[in-house]
Amino acid sequence: MDAKCPECDRVAKLDDDVTQVKCPHCNFEADYDTYLEIMKDKAVNMSIDYLPKRPGL
């Protein structure tokens, strides 16, 4: 199965056991839980960039 590499944004590989993510392009490697946390943090950071600037918040 394919996954998006958080380092180089290219296609990384998720192993058949869904335990390890490896990118052949930049050598990124992480267990699946760590990968999910990294991608979750990236999504939160992207969403913050799109929140409108409102006074008082």
Coordinates of all heavy atoms in Angstrom, one line a residue:
M1 N 0.8 -1.2 0.0 CA 0.0 0.0 0.0 C 0.9 1.2 0.0 O 2.0 1.2 0.5 CB -0.9 0.0 1.2 CG -1.9 1.1 1.2 SD -3.0 1.2 2.7 CE -3.6 -0.5 2.8
D2 N 0.4 2.3 -0.6 CA 1.2 3.5 -0.7 C 0.8 4.5 0.4 O -0.4 4.5 0.9 CB 1.0 4.2 -2.0 CG 1.6 3.4 -3.2 OD1 2.5 2.6 -2.9 OD2 1.1 3.6 -4.3
A3 N 1.7 5.4 0.8 CA 1.5 6.4 1.8 C 2.2 7.7 1.3 O 3.1 7.5 0.4 CB 2.0 6.0 3.1
K4 N 1.9 8.8 1.8 CA 2.6 10.0 1.4 C 3.7 10.3 2.4 O 3.5 10.2 3.6 CB 1.6 11.2 1.4 CG 2.3 12.5 1.0 CD 1.3 13.6 0.9 CE 1.9 14.9 0.4 NZ 1.0 16.0 0.2
C5 N 4.9 10.5 1.9 CA 6.1 10.7 2.7 C 5.9 12.1 3.4 O 5.8 13.1 2.6 CB 7.3 10.6 1.9 SG 8.8 10.9 2.9
P6 N 6.1 12.2 4.7 CA 6.0 13.5 5.3 C 7.3 14.3 5.1 O 7.2 15.5 5.3 CB 5.8 13.2 6.8 CG 6.4 11.8 7.0 CD 6.2 11.1 5.7
E7 N 8.3 13.7 4.7 CA 9.6 14.4 4.5 C 9.7 15.1 3.1 O 10.0 16.2 2.9 CB 10.8 13.5 4.7 CG 10.9 13.0 6.2 CD 11.2 14.1 7.2 OE1 12.1 15.0 6.8 OE2 10.7 14.1 8.3
C8 N 9.5 14.2 2.1 CA 9.7 14.7 0.7 C 8.4 14.8 -0.1 O 8.4 15.2 -1.3 CB 10.7 13.8 0.0 SG 10.1 12.1 -0.4
D9 N 7.2 14.4 0.5 CA 5.9 14.5 -0.2 C 5.8 13.5 -1.4 O 4.9 13.7 -2.2 CB 5.5 15.9 -0.6 CG 5.3 16.8 0.6 OD1 4.8 16.2 1.7 OD2 5.5 18.0 0.5
R10 N 6.7 12.6 -1.5 CA 6.6 11.6 -2.6 C 5.9 10.4 -2.1 O 5.5 10.3 -0.9 CB 7.9 11.3 -3.2 CG 8.5 12.6 -3.9 CD 9.9 12.4 -4.3 NE 9.9 11.6 -5.6 CZ 11.0 11.3 -6.2 NH1 12.2 11.6 -5.8 NH2 10.9 10.6 -7.4
V11 N 5.8 9.3 -2.9 CA 5.1 8.1 -2.5 C 6.0 7.2 -1.6 O 7.1 6.9 -2.0 CB 4.7 7.3 -3.7 CG1 4.0 6.0 -3.3 CG2 3.7 8.1 -4.5
A12 N 5.6 6.9 -0.4 CA 6.3 6.0 0.5 C 5.5 4.7 0.5 O 4.4 4.6 0.0 CB 6.4 6.6 1.9
K13 N 6.1 3.7 1.0 CA 5.5 2.3 1.1 C 5.1 2.0 2.5 O 5.9 2.1 3.4 CB 6.4 1.3 0.5 CG 6.8 1.5 -0.9 CD 5.6 1.3 -1.8 CE 5.9 1.5 -3.3 NZ 4.8 1.5 -4.1
L14 N 3.8 1.5 2.6 CA 3.3 1.0 3.9 C 3.4 -0.6 3.8 O 2.9 -1.1 2.8 CB 1.9 1.4 4.1 CG 1.2 0.9 5.4 CD1 1.9 1.3 6.6 CD2 -0.3 1.4 5.4
D15 N 4.0 -1.2 4.7 CA 4.2 -2.7 4.6 C 2.8 -3.4 4.7 O 1.8 -2.8 5.2 CB 5.2 -3.2 5.6 CG 4.8 -3.1 7.0 OD1 3.7 -2.7 7.3 OD2 5.7 -3.5 7.9
D16 N 2.8 -4.7 4.4 CA 1.6 -5.4 4.4 C 1.0 -5.6 5.7 O -0.2 -5.8 5.9 CB 1.8 -6.8 3.7 CG 2.1 -6.7 2.2 OD1 1.7 -5.7 1.6 OD2 2.8 -7.6 1.7
D17 N 1.8 -5.6 6.8 CA 1.3 -5.7 8.2 C 0.8 -4.4 8.7 O 0.4 -4.4 9.9 CB 2.4 -6.2 9.0 CG 2.9 -7.6 8.6 OD1 2.1 -8.4 8.0 OD2 4.1 -7.9 8.9
V18 N 0.9 -3.3 8.0 CA 0.5 -2.0 8.4 C 1.2 -1.6 9.7 O 0.6 -1.2 10.7 CB -1.0 -1.8 8.5 CG1 -1.4 -0.4 8.8 CG2 -1.7 -2.3 7.3
T19 N 2.6 -1.8 9.7 CA 3.4 -1.5 10.9 C 4.5 -0.6 10.6 O 5.0 0.1 11.5 CB 3.9 -2.8 11.5 OG1 4.7 -3.5 10.5 CG2 2.9 -3.7 12.0
Q20 N 4.9 -0.4 9.4 CA 6.1 0.3 9.0 C 5.9 1.1 7.7 O 5.4 0.6 6.8 CB 7.3 -0.6 8.8 CG 8.6 0.0 8.9 CD 9.1 0.4 10.2 OE1 8.5 0.0 11.2 NE2 10.1 1.2 10.3
V21 N 6.3 2.4 7.7 CA 6.3 3.2 6.6 C 7.7 3.6 6.2 O 8.5 4.0 7.0 CB 5.5 4.6 6.8 CG1 5.5 5.5 5.6 CG2 4.1 4.2 7.2
K22 N 8.1 3.3 4.9 CA 9.4 3.6 4.4 C 9.3 4.3 3.1 O 8.5 4.0 2.2 CB 10.2 2.3 4.2 CG 10.4 1.5 5.4 CD 11.2 0.3 5.1 CE 11.4 -0.5 6.4 NZ 12.2 -1.8 6.2
C23 N 10.2 5.4 2.9 CA 10.2 6.1 1.7 C 11.5 5.8 1.0 O 12.6 6.0 1.5 CB 10.2 7.6 2.0 SG 10.3 8.6 0.5
P24 N 11.4 5.2 -0.2 CA 12.7 4.9 -1.0 C 13.4 6.1 -1.6 O 14.5 6.0 -2.0 CB 12.1 4.0 -2.1 CG 10.7 4.4 -2.3 CD 10.2 4.8 -1.0
H25 N 12.7 7.2 -1.5 CA 13.3 8.5 -2.1 C 14.2 9.2 -1.2 O 15.3 9.7 -1.5 CB 12.2 9.4 -2.6 CG 11.2 8.7 -3.5 ND1 11.5 8.3 -4.8 CD2 10.0 8.2 -3.3 CE1 10.5 7.7 -5.3 NE2 9.5 7.6 -4.4
C26 N 13.8 9.4 0.1 CA 14.5 10.2 1.0 C 15.0 9.3 2.3 O 15.5 9.9 3.2 CB 13.8 11.4 1.5 SG 12.3 11.0 2.5
N27 N 14.6 8.1 2.3 CA 15.0 7.1 3.4 C 14.3 7.4 4.7 O 14.7 7.0 5.7 CB 16.5 7.1 3.6 CG 17.2 6.6 2.4 OD1 16.8 5.6 1.7 ND2 18.4 7.2 2.1
F28 N 13.1 8.1 4.6 CA 12.3 8.3 5.8 C 11.8 6.9 6.2 O 11.5 6.1 5.4 CB 11.1 9.2 5.5 CG 10.1 9.2 6.6 CD1 10.2 10.0 7.7 CD2 8.9 8.4 6.5 CE1 9.3 10.0 8.7 CE2 8.0 8.4 7.5 CZ 8.2 9.2 8.6
E29 N 11.8 6.7 7.5 CA 11.3 5.4 8.0 C 10.7 5.6 9.4 O 11.3 6.3 10.3 CB 12.5 4.4 8.1 CG 12.1 3.0 8.5 CD 13.2 2.1 8.4 OE1 14.1 2.2 7.5 OE2 13.2 1.1 9.2
A30 N 9.5 5.1 9.6 CA 8.8 5.2 10.9 C 7.8 4.1 11.1 O 7.3 3.6 10.1 CB 8.1 6.6 11.0
D31 N 7.5 3.8 12.4 CA 6.4 2.8 12.6 C 5.1 3.6 12.3 O 5.1 4.8 12.2 CB 6.4 2.3 14.0 CG 6.2 3.3 15.1 OD1 5.0 3.7 15.3 OD2 7.2 3.8 15.7
Y32 N 4.1 2.8 12.0 CA 2.8 3.4 11.5 C 2.2 4.4 12.5 O 1.7 5.4 12.1 CB 1.8 2.3 11.2 CG 0.6 2.7 10.5 CD1 0.7 3.3 9.2 CD2 -0.7 2.6 11.1 CE1 -0.5 3.8 8.6 CE2 -1.8 3.1 10.4 CZ -1.7 3.7 9.2 OH -2.8 4.1 8.5
D33 N 2.2 4.1 13.8 CA 1.7 5.0 14.8 C 2.4 6.4 14.8 O 1.8 7.4 14.8 CB 1.7 4.4 16.2 CG 0.7 3.2 16.3 OD1 -0.3 3.2 15.6 OD2 1.0 2.4 17.2
T34 N 3.7 6.3 14.7 CA 4.5 7.6 14.6 C 4.2 8.3 13.3 O 4.0 9.5 13.3 CB 6.0 7.2 14.7 OG1 6.3 6.5 15.9 CG2 6.8 8.5 14.6
Y35 N 4.1 7.6 12.2 CA 3.7 8.2 10.9 C 2.4 8.9 11.0 O 2.2 10.0 10.6 CB 3.7 7.1 9.9 CG 3.1 7.6 8.6 CD1 3.8 8.3 7.7 CD2 1.8 7.3 8.2 CE1 3.3 8.8 6.5 CE2 1.2 7.7 7.0 CZ 2.0 8.5 6.1 OH 1.5 8.9 5.0
L36 N 1.4 8.3 11.7 CA 0.1 8.9 11.8 C 0.2 10.2 12.6 O -0.5 11.2 12.3 CB -0.9 7.9 12.5 CG -1.4 6.8 11.6 CD1 -2.3 5.9 12.4 CD2 -2.1 7.3 10.3
E37 N 0.9 10.2 13.7 CA 1.1 11.4 14.5 C 1.8 12.5 13.7 O 1.4 13.7 13.8 CB 1.9 11.1 15.8 CG 1.2 10.3 16.8 CD 0.0 11.0 17.3 OE1 0.0 12.2 17.6 OE2 -1.1 10.4 17.5
I38 N 2.8 12.2 12.9 CA 3.5 13.2 12.1 C 2.5 13.8 11.1 O 2.4 15.0 10.9 CB 4.7 12.5 11.4 CG1 5.8 12.2 12.3 CG2 5.2 13.5 10.3 CD1 6.9 11.3 11.8
M39 N 1.7 12.9 10.4 CA 0.8 13.4 9.4 C -0.4 14.2 10.1 O -0.9 15.2 9.5 CB 0.2 12.3 8.6 CG 1.3 11.6 7.8 SD 2.2 12.7 6.7 CE 1.1 12.9 5.4
K40 N -0.8 13.8 11.3 CA -1.8 14.6 12.0 C -1.3 16.0 12.3 O -2.0 16.9 12.1 CB -2.2 13.8 13.3 CG -3.3 14.5 14.1 CD -3.7 13.7 15.3 CE -2.6 14.1 16.3 NZ -2.9 13.6 17.7
D41 N -0.1 16.1 12.8 CA 0.5 17.4 13.1 C 0.6 18.2 11.9 O 0.3 19.4 11.9 CB 1.9 17.2 13.8 CG 1.8 16.6 15.2 OD1 0.7 16.7 15.8 OD2 2.8 16.1 15.7
K42 N 1.0 17.6 10.7 CA 1.0 18.4 9.5 C -0.3 18.9 9.1 O -0.5 20.1 8.7 CB 1.6 17.5 8.4 CG 3.1 17.3 8.5 CD 3.7 16.5 7.3 CE 3.7 17.5 6.2 NZ 4.8 17.3 5.2
A43 N -1.4 18.1 9.3 CA -2.7 18.5 8.9 C -3.2 19.6 9.8 O -3.8 20.6 9.3 CB -3.7 17.3 9.0
V44 N -2.9 19.6 11.1 CA -3.3 20.6 12.0 C -2.6 21.9 11.6 O -3.2 23.0 11.6 CB -3.0 20.2 13.5 CG1 -3.1 21.4 14.4 CG2 -3.9 19.1 13.9
N45 N -1.3 21.8 11.4 CA -0.6 23.0 11.0 C -1.1 23.7 9.7 O -1.2 24.9 9.5 CB 0.9 22.7 10.8 CG 1.6 22.5 12.2 OD1 1.1 22.9 13.2 ND2 2.7 21.7 12.2
M46 N -1.5 22.8 8.7 CA -2.0 23.3 7.5 C -3.4 24.0 7.7 O -3.7 25.1 7.2 CB -2.2 22.2 6.5 CG -0.9 21.7 5.9 SD -1.1 20.2 4.8 CE -2.5 20.6 3.8
S47 N -4.2 23.4 8.6 CA -5.5 24.0 8.9 C -5.4 25.4 9.6 O -6.2 26.3 9.3 CB -6.4 23.1 9.6 OG -5.9 22.9 10.9
I48 N -4.4 25.5 10.4 CA -4.2 26.8 11.1 C -3.8 27.9 10.1 O -4.3 29.0 10.3 CB -3.1 26.6 12.2 CG1 -3.6 25.8 13.4 CG2 -2.6 28.0 12.7 CD1 -2.6 25.4 14.4
D49 N -3.1 27.5 9.1 CA -2.7 28.5 8.1 C -4.0 29.1 7.3 O -3.9 30.2 6.8 CB -1.8 27.9 7.0 CG -0.4 27.7 7.6 OD1 -0.1 28.2 8.7 OD2 0.3 26.9 7.0
Y50 N -5.1 28.3 7.3 CA -6.2 28.7 6.6 C -7.3 29.4 7.5 O -8.3 29.8 7.0 CB -6.8 27.6 5.8 CG -5.9 27.2 4.7 CD1 -5.1 26.1 4.8 CD2 -5.9 27.9 3.5 CE1 -4.3 25.7 3.7 CE2 -5.1 27.6 2.5 CZ -4.3 26.5 2.6 OH -3.4 26.1 1.5
L51 N -7.1 29.4 8.8 CA -8.1 30.1 9.6 C -8.0 31.6 9.4 O -6.9 32.2 9.4 CB -7.8 29.7 11.1 CG -8.1 28.3 11.5 CD1 -7.7 28.1 13.0 CD2 -9.6 28.0 11.4
P52 N -9.1 32.2 9.3 CA -9.1 33.7 9.1 C -8.6 34.4 10.4 O -8.8 33.9 11.5 CB -10.5 34.1 8.9 CG -11.3 32.9 9.4 CD -10.5 31.7 9.3
K53 N -7.9 35.5 10.2 CA -7.4 36.3 11.4 C -8.6 37.1 11.9 O -9.1 37.9 11.2 CB -6.3 37.2 10.9 CG -5.1 36.5 10.3 CD -4.3 35.7 11.3 CE -3.0 35.2 10.7 NZ -3.0 33.8 10.4
R54 N -9.0 36.8 13.1 CA -10.1 37.6 13.7 C -9.6 38.3 15.0 O -8.9 37.7 15.8 CB -11.2 36.6 14.1 CG -11.9 36.1 12.8 CD -13.1 35.3 13.2 NE -12.7 33.9 13.4 CZ -13.4 33.0 14.0 NH1 -14.6 33.3 14.4 NH2 -13.0 31.8 14.2
P55 N -10.0 39.5 15.1 CA -9.5 40.3 16.3 C -10.1 39.6 17.6 O -11.2 39.1 17.6 CB -10.2 41.6 16.1 CG -10.7 41.7 14.7 CD -10.7 40.3 14.2
G56 N -9.3 39.6 18.6 CA -9.7 39.0 19.9 C -9.6 37.5 20.0 O -9.9 37.0 21.1
L57 N -9.1 36.9 19.0 CA -8.9 35.4 19.1 C -7.4 35.1 19.2 O -6.6 35.6 18.6 CB -9.5 34.6 18.0 CG -11.0 34.7 18.0 CD1 -11.6 33.9 16.8 CD2 -11.7 34.1 19.2

